[in-house]
Amino acid sequence: SDEDFRKRFRTEAKTQFSLSHPNIVKLIDFQERPDGLFLIMEYIDGKQLNDYIKNDSGPIPETELISLFKKVLSAIKYAHSKKLVHRDIKPSNIMICPGGDVKVIDFGIAKSGEEDTGLTKTGIQVGTVSYMSPEQVNAEKLDILTDIYSLGVTLFQMAVGKAPYVGETNTFKIQLRIVSEPLPNPKD
């Protein structure tokens, strides 16, 4: 019943609907009905990258890592060419399919770099803290560089087998480390 939420839903659905790339999950349809808001997505047979790392691969061997990561980069490059910033790149938003295919999911908080609809404003944090760029932590204006930072954190997790701030459980401490310290050395 929240009209602002419905407006955001329509905007996000239209954003996702405009994307057509082999490494991005396809939105087939979206519906607003009295009993709810619905996204009808392409079915993906696979598992989230974080589960794949945790349960199947551990640190991903370099040859497999490079192949998988190139597909993720291709998807995000395409989104950026459409002037979209994903803003929540993380292993749980990347699906690994049988045969090594990759699908980036959840463009739910993506934002167009060309228009500011006022639905998400500077000063509001969006994203998942462990993968946030310093700009996100500081609730500053975001551009494609925030996705590039999150891609780096995701690559770290793929190569090492765990996220850089896995030992921290306090959101504030993670945010403080993001803005004041370099990423931990993956060799450590």
Side-chain angles (χ1 to χ4, degrees):
S1 64
D2 182 340
E3 187 50 41
D4 284 339
F5 185 84
R6 286 181 173 277
K7 188 174 182 181
R8 181 181 196 108
F9 171 81
R10 285 190 291 273
T11 300
E12 292 169 356
K14 288 175 186 173
T15 297
Q16 179 86 17
F17 198 72
S18 71
L19 299 176
S20 180
H21 187 276
N23 299 115
I24 297 176
V25 67
K26 183 73 180 150
L27 177 65
I28 297 167
D29 194 10
F30 60 96
Q31 297 181 4
E32 289 184 75
R33 298 186 347 201
D35 59 335
L37 306 171
F38 301 92
L39 297 174
I40 297 98
M41 310 288 293
E42 163 190 17
Y43 174 76
I44 304 299
D45 180 22
K47 55 174 68 175
Q48 294 173 316
L49 177 58
N50 57 322
D51 290 336
Y52 179 76
I53 293 167
K54 181 180 174 185
N55 301 321
D56 297 330
S57 70
I60 299 174
E62 184 177 345
T63 54
E64 182 185 0
L65 183 146
I66 291 169
S67 174
L68 293 173
F69 200 65
K70 280 183 175 180
K71 293 172 186 176
V72 174
L73 291 174
S74 178
I76 300 304
K77 179 181 177 183
Y78 171 80
H80 289 172
S81 78
K82 298 292 186 185
K83 308 286 191 253
L84 292 175
V85 180
H86 188 285
R87 302 192 307 170
D88 198 22
I89 296 170
K90 58 187 177 181
S92 63
N93 282 340
I94 299 167
M95 299 289 293
I96 305 298
C97 306
D101 201 10
V102 170
K103 294 280 188 173
V104 176
I105 63 173
D106 197 5
F107 279 79
I109 63 171
K111 184 173 182 181
S112 171
E114 289 189 332
E115 64 181 85
D116 186 354
T117 62
L119 296 175
T120 305
K121 299 176 181 150
T122 300
I124 298 172
Q125 285 183 342
V126 292
T128 303
V129 69
S130 294
Y131 303 91
M132 282 184 174
S133 67
E135 310 88 77
Q136 282 174 294
V137 169
N138 289 323
E140 297 171 350
K141 184 171 173 57
L142 304 180
D143 59 22
I144 64 172
L145 295 177
T146 200
D147 283 350
I148 292 169
Y149 181 92
S150 298
L151 284 165
V153 177
T154 299
L155 179 61
F156 181 104
Q157 186 166 344
M158 292 171 75
V160 174
K162 60 184 179 179
Y165 307 111
V166 75
E168 295 287 350
T169 56
N170 179 297
T171 298
F172 177 75
K173 287 181 181 177
I174 294 171
Q175 291 174 323
L176 189 59
R177 288 184 68 191
I178 289 170
V179 297
S180 63
E181 297 176 16
L183 274 174
N185 186 339
K187 290 180 181 178
D188 293 342

